[in-house]
Structure formats: structure tokens, C-alpha cells
Amino acid sequence: MNAPTTNKKLLDWVAEIETMCTPDQVVWCDGSTEEYDRLMAEMVETGMAIKLDEAKRPNSYAFNSDPSDVARVESRTYIASVKEEDAGPTNNWIDPNELKETMKKLYAGCMKGRTMYVIPFSMGPIGSDIAKNAIEITDSPYVVVNMHIMARVSTDVLGLIEKTDDFIPCLHSVGAPLEEGQTDSRWPCAPLEDKYIAHFPEENLIWSYGSGYGGNALLGKKCLALRIASAMAGREGWMAEHMLILRFTSPEGKQYHIAAAFPSACGKTNLAMLQSTVPGWKVETIGDDIAWMKPGADGRLYAINPEAGFFGVAPGTSENSNPMALASCASDAIFTNVVVTADKDVWWEDMGYDCPNGGGIDWKNNEWAQASGEKGAHPNSRFTARADHCPVICPDWEDPAGVPIDIFVFGGKRTSTVPLVHEAFSFDHGVFMGATASSEPTAAALDLGNVSLRFDPYAMTPFMGYHGGDYMQHWFDMGEKLGDKAPRCFYVNWFRKTDDGKWLWPGFGDNSRVLKWMCDRVEGKVEARETAIGLMPIDGDLTLEGLDIAAEDWAELMKVDIDGYKKTLADMKAYLAKFGDKLPAKISEQVDALEARLNG
Ligand code: O2Y
Ligand code: MN
């Protein structure tokens, strides 16, 4: 196909990659339904995709990855800033020239026997002030179809690139060239030691090699919308955060916009689509994973969701936990590493019912029986669903101006110590709460090893595109810029357990009770009690009506565990020391203040 652009910068880059990677052909993508259907048909033909039953799951497909390629690989993810000190202690660093030399050797001829797709896409509504235009080059048709759902793939983006001469180049290869006559594997990828997920923040450039999975390969998501965007935002005075965005509307019609940061697989998608149990209050979804936020003309902070779809964790998604996510993937969806049932539908663990017919084809592409006790779906298996298929999508989710944020929520998965909810004394205290958020690790990262507690500033540890200390300082700077219009900050923990392992808080829809208390605080409708860690609900203000919670369980959820916090404080100090002299003085002041309060 003739290139559908005359932009020299883009044509030169595509030609340079073609010369290096030597694909059999180059295809410029247009984001059309015809293109999606054609690629799916080709992948069904080669056996990479399974077409699901049209009556049960219209226009939907399942894929199984290679067992070695099932999640983001943090150990192979690099921030290749010019100076090592600019990558900071949370990132792997290699000198950019050295990394490019290494990767160029891998890229040489890597698309032999394959098609090179050129995907024009926008993160954020096309043409929005805060959106970014980008091009992903990939040799994976699976990536193309997922990008169709997760980003805005369109030739309109090429029109904007013609005008602005500006785009973010993202290069991806599965790293598995095909020799003449060689049959392709079902899920081509490279061994771990050849995988590189590389970011060059000073050049706004992404190079990914060797993995076809999720965040490693759909480069608009974690690579662009978080790692590269956070570096851009730090330079330009805006924010790119690992946050869901929701609208919470009161019975009187007052809207509150909440942005919440939780580490991977801690229930962001569930919270974003929550069904409120507080009478008259409703949640509408704006985004489930990433927020881009800029101060608006009125001095408030406005947020957009740069994505167009959800790449949600399948296991645990059920009519009970998240009916809206299930509805989002009822049709036009892609499933990766789930069970394909005998009647060609999908199933995963904790879907709320047993696998129909007792089994199917598991994520490793083998016959599988649920009775075997083995997991049928990979714990990090995913659905890719269109955001506009979510029944509770907010009517303004694509407003290019974004929505004004009232509340920031931080949190993590802590089975002990951290109470259900507390509020920051000030925005700076909130920045500290975000910087010292901690969680017990999950399945979304392949290679964290045996870690019991992970400090995870702003849930951004794997996604900060520059030094974490500078990143924290950027939060303080944003607070200064926003002044009294800065969002109010809260910290939640939905995951407390009793000593015998029982959940203390019902979670899911009942989390709306906690959100309602936050809104009441913003409105000045309720007072709070001052504790060593922050402001907490006065009994009776956080409605428990209709809930069957024992008084001692509620007391436990509302308790400030001073000894537990003293231990966390010691771990926190050791963690913060990693940021060296880049640790903002305001963080140290907050540590001292917390220590004094805990000892007071
Ligand atoms: O394992 C992957 O590649 C997906 S990771 C992911 C996907 C959607 C939303 N968030 C995440 C994450 O790791 O935070
Ligand atoms: Mn995420």
C-alpha cells in the first residue's frame, strides 16, 4: 500500500525501521472495522485466535500466549535516560547509546517472514489539547487488534501529524523472525534474556522487543501513557498517573470526580465501575487505569482518560464483583489466557459459577478439567473491552476538556495495620501518603519474587519515567500551583483481614459508603476525628445501614494500630533512603511529623 501520509519525518522513520527489521511487507493501518475483521480472520486461519460462539459472545476472540510471555516484565523494562541519576532507584537503567546498539542487533532482520504494521493512534480524544499522537510499528497482528480497542487508531491522526510534524514513535517486535518455509508458532516471542521494554524519555521514544503481551507490547498503555507521559508531564507541568477516574453523583445531582491510585490488580477496574449501595448515589466510569491531568483556566485540575478500552484482569471478575466489566466484554472483546469452553465461550476462576461441561481448553492450550484442581485461566489473564460498551460509562468520558478532580484516593492491599479510610491533613500530607503507599504484591508483574510488602509511590513504581524523588517533588509543585483548588486526599484499604483470614470489609459496591463519606468531607457536611495518621470518620458518619458488620470488626477497621504503624514507619524510612538527596525535604518533614504523632 502507498503510504497515506506525506510527512517526511514519519516516512523517514518508517523507512528506517523497514530497512532495519526487513519485514516481508508493510501495512499502514487505518483503524477500520474491515481491518479488524480481516486481521482476526487471518489469525483464526493460522490458529493464533479462536473465534468464540457468535450467539454467546458476538464478534469476540480468544488467544493463548506462550507460557513464558504472560505479564509485564519489570526486570527487562528500562528507562534509558542520558544520565543514570535521572532514572532513579525505581528503574533499571542502561546508557541509551549502549541499549540502542544492543537492541539494533536484535532488531536487525527481526521481522523477516512477517508483516510490519504501522498504526497511527491517539492517546486521548483525537485532537484534544491534552491528547498525544503516536505511531506504533509492530509485527504482531494481535497487537494491532488490541490497539484498535485500547487506543484511538485512525488515519485522522496522520492528518494531525501532517499539521504538527509531531508524533511519539513506538517500535515493537515480537522478536521471532521466520526462516524461509518455517512454520510460525502460535504465540511468537523471544526468550526472557532477549526481551527489552526500553524507554528513551529525553527523545519521547519507545523500543520494545521480544514480548507480545499486554503492557510490553500495546505501547500506548504503560510505555507511552505512563512512563513517557510522566516524564513529559514532569517537564511540562501536568500529571500522568496510574489512576482510575470516576464520577460520583449525589441524589441531588451534585457531581464529584474522583481519581484513585492503586497498584496493579488491586481492584481499580472494580472501583471504576462500582454499583453504589448508598441509596440515590451513582458511579459512572471515566477510566479504569490511567489519568492525564492538567490545570484548567479556572485553576482546577482536569482529567482525561487517555485510553479507549479496558485491559482488565479476568480471574475474579464476576456478576458479583464487577457486573459492568462483564457487560463490557459481552461482545466485541478479546480474551487472552482464559479457558475456552466446549461451547466456545470463555471462563475463568472466580467467575461466579463452575466451568460449563466441567472444562475446556486452558490458557496453555491443553484439554483441561476443572476437577483437576489446576487453574484453567492464567492469574494475569485479561479481557480487552471497548470502554463505550460499559453500561455505566460516563456521558462525558470523551470530553476533550476532561473533568475537574475533587478527590484523590491512594491505597494498596494491606491485610493488617492500615484502616479502612483516613484523610490527609493537607495536600502536602496527601502527597506524602501517596509517596509512601504500600501493598502486598499481585500477579500483574511477572518477576517480583518473594516480597511481602512493596512500597509503591502513587502506584507508579513500575511506571515512573524519571527519578522517583523528582517525581514526588513534582506532586508538591502541582499542589503549590493548584493552591486551595487542589483535590482533597484520602487513603483507603479495602483488604483488611481478621487473624483467621476473614475479610473485615465487604468491599465492591459497599466501597461507595466510603466514597460518600469523602464527598461529605469535601462538602463540609461532617467533622472528622484527628488521629496520628490523619483524619478519620466519627462513628455514625460513614453509613453502615443495611450492612451486617460486627461492632468489633468495625472497631478493627477504624483502629489506628500505633505499633503496626511504627513498624511500617521504620520500613518506610529505609525505603525512602533509596531516593538519596533527591528525596524532597517536604517528605522528610512529613516523616518526622508522623513519627512525632505516633510517639505523642
Ligand atoms: O500484564 C500486563 O501486561 C498487563 S498489566 C496491566 C494491564 C491493565 C491495567 N494495568 C496493568 C498494570 O500492571 O498496572
Ligand atoms: Mn494498571
Side-chain angles (χ1 to χ4, degrees):
M1 187 215 259
N2 283 337
T5 179
T6 58
N7 182 261
K8 185 171 173 341
K9 193 159 126 189
L10 176 53
L11 289 171
D12 286 353
W13 180 62
V14 172
E16 180 195 329
I17 302 305
E18 184 181 359
T19 304
M20 176 166 73
C21 300
T22 65
D24 285 6
Q25 57 171 338
V26 177
V27 169
W28 287 75
C29 298
D30 60 12
S32 64
T33 309
E34 183 281 325
E35 176 174 276
Y36 186 87
D37 294 346
R38 176 173 42 84
L39 290 175
M40 282 298 193
E42 284 171 20
M43 287 187 281
V44 169
E45 181 69 28
T46 62
M48 190 185 191
I50 299 169
K51 167 96 178 77
L52 297 172
D53 181 76
E54 191 56 27
K56 291 196 157 62
R57 200 64 71 167
N59 194 30
S60 297
Y61 298 84
F63 292 79
N64 289 326
S65 77
D66 186 275
S68 69
D69 197 26
V70 291
R72 294 187 291 100
V73 274
E74 292 182 14
S75 63
R76 306 297 303 169
T77 299
Y78 296 90
I79 298 296
S81 45
V82 172
K83 290 193 208 142
E84 182 169 6
E85 72 214 48
D86 289 338
T90 58
N91 288 309
N92 300 312
W93 178 85
I94 300 180
D95 171 81
N97 294 324
E98 184 190 329
L99 183 54
K100 281 186 184 168
E101 281 319 301
T102 305
M103 290 187 75
K104 275 182 189 167
K105 288 192 190 112
L106 293 166
Y107 279 132
C110 72
M111 295 187 187
K112 200 167 163 225
R114 301 194 182 279
T115 298
M116 176 174 125
Y117 301 95
V118 183
I119 314 171
F121 69 101
S122 170
M123 295 311 287
I126 296 175
S128 153
D129 260 8
I130 196 167
K132 299 285 170 210
N133 297 317
I135 303 285
E136 176 161 351
I137 290 182
T138 180
D139 54 6
S140 163
Y142 168 85
V143 165
V144 179
V145 291
N146 275 273
M147 287 293 286
H148 269 232
I149 298 178
M150 295 305 298
R152 276 111 173 153
V153 176
S154 168
T155 50
D156 291 352
V157 173
L158 294 176
L160 291 173
I161 293 172
E162 296 274 358
K163 278 196 203 135
T164 58
D165 198 31
D166 189 28
F167 65 93
I168 298 175
C170 311
L171 171 58
H172 170 252
S173 170
V174 294
L178 287 168
E179 293 312 320
E180 200 68 40
Q182 185 186 342
T183 39
D184 204 357
S185 47
R186 196 169 31 80
W187 183 279
C189 61
L192 183 65
E193 64 276 15
D194 285 343
K195 285 182 173 44
Y196 287 91
I197 321 298
H199 308 74
F200 303 91
E202 287 98 347
E203 294 174 69
N204 294 342
L205 174 67
I206 300 163
W207 277 10
S208 168
Y209 184 90
S211 166
Y213 200 89
N216 302 329
L218 313 178
L219 301 185
K221 191 171 181 56
K222 301 300 184 180
C223 298
L224 192 164
L226 286 177
R227 299 194 189 94
I228 290 296
S230 64
M232 295 173 92
R235 294 191 295 263
E236 297 166 6
W238 52 285
M239 304 174 91
E241 296 297 330
H242 192 202
M243 286 179 156
L244 67 89
I245 313 167
L246 63 84
R247 171 180 289 172
F248 198 36
T249 307
S250 77
E252 296 75 37
K254 173 116 204 224
Q255 297 174 346
Y256 300 88
H257 294 103
I258 300 178
F262 302 112
S264 307
C266 274
K268 279 210 306 296
T269 304
N270 292 351
L271 186 63
M273 300 176 192
L274 168 154
Q275 295 208 283
S276 172
T277 59
V278 185
W281 287 74
K282 75 166 180 206
V283 164
E284 290 168 311
T285 311
I286 296 168
D288 79 328
D289 197 40
I290 299 176
W292 283 358
M293 295 172 285
K294 252 189 190 174
D298 61 359
R300 299 182 71 192
L301 189 64
Y302 283 78
I304 66 159
N305 169 12
E307 301 190 279
F310 311 123
F311 191 63
V313 185
T317 304
S318 68
E319 279 300 334
N320 186 36
S321 70
N322 196 340
M324 297 302 123
L326 277 188
S328 307
C329 58
S331 66
D332 308 305
I334 299 171
F335 298 89
T336 308
N337 285 345
V338 303
V339 174
V340 175
T341 61
D343 54 0
K344 291 276 187 302
D345 197 6
V346 287
W347 184 88
W348 46 77
E349 275 71 25
D350 299 319
M351 200 176 187
Y353 52 89
D354 283 342
C355 186
N357 302 308
I361 302 294
D362 70 3
W363 74 272
K364 292 182 182 158
N365 224 36
N366 295 324
E367 288 284 346
W368 168 84
Q370 193 177 2
S372 69
E374 297 286 310
K375 285 200 189 311
H378 187 276
N380 192 40
S381 55
R382 299 276 167 170
F383 57 82
T384 319
R386 290 164 203 267
D388 63 8
H389 281 27
C390 178
V392 291
I393 198 74
C394 178
D396 296 328
W397 81 282
E398 297 196 275
D399 186 340
V403 295
I405 297 298
D406 301 287
I407 291 170
F408 278 142
V409 183
F410 304 107
K413 195 176 269 188
R414 294 288 305 271
T415 48
S416 69
T417 310
V418 178
L420 179 64
V421 60
H422 59 289
E423 183 186 350
F425 296 119
S426 62
F427 189 80
D428 280 2
H429 182 223
V431 173
F432 167 71
M433 290 192 330
T436 54
S438 59
S439 199
E440 290 153 24
T442 68
L446 188 64
D447 49 2
L448 289 177
N450 206 5
V451 186
S452 65
L453 191 65
R454 191 190 199 208
F455 284 96
D456 191 354
Y458 315 95
M460 281 288 285
T461 303
F463 309 123
M464 286 186 279
Y466 59 107
H467 195 294
D470 292 333
Y471 185 88
M472 293 173 195
Q473 185 58 48
H474 181 57
W475 266 82
F476 286 117
D477 294 345
M478 290 302 296
E480 224 159 82
K481 195 183 283 188
L482 294 163
D484 62 2
K485 301 216 168 80
R488 292 272 281 269
C489 298
F490 295 82
Y491 196 101
V492 299
N493 178 23
W494 316 128
F495 299 101
R496 284 295 302 277
K497 283 187 172 176
T498 57
D499 289 343
D500 53 358
K502 186 176 75 89
W503 295 114
L504 279 168
W505 178 246
F508 304 116
D510 287 313
N511 292 337
S512 57
R513 298 165 186 271
V514 178
L515 302 186
K516 156 92 166 45
W517 178 74
M518 294 174 186
C519 296
D520 286 347
R521 288 289 300 148
V522 167
E523 236 20 87
K525 282 190 181 160
V526 294
E527 297 293 313
R529 67 190 163 94
E530 205 167 316
T531 74
I533 59 168
L535 301 165
M536 292 185 63
I538 293 169
D539 270 352
D541 284 346
L542 196 159
T543 174
L544 299 178
E545 214 174 301
L547 271 189
D548 186 20
I549 291 200
E552 65 267 26
D553 285 353
W554 180 245
E556 195 57 37
L557 280 165
M558 286 288 114
K559 188 174 108 183
V560 178
D561 173 1
I562 298 286
D563 288 340
Y565 263 96
K566 282 184 178 167
K567 162 128 197 15
T568 299
L569 181 70
D571 294 343
M572 188 190 288
K573 284 183 182 174
Y575 173 75
L576 291 173
K578 293 205 317 187
F579 297 92
D581 58 13
K582 292 232 187 202
L583 186 73
K586 281 187 172 183
I587 293 284
S588 307
E589 286 161 21
Q590 290 287 342
V591 172
D592 293 346
L594 173 61
E595 185 160 33
R597 290 193 303 268
L598 290 172
N599 289 329

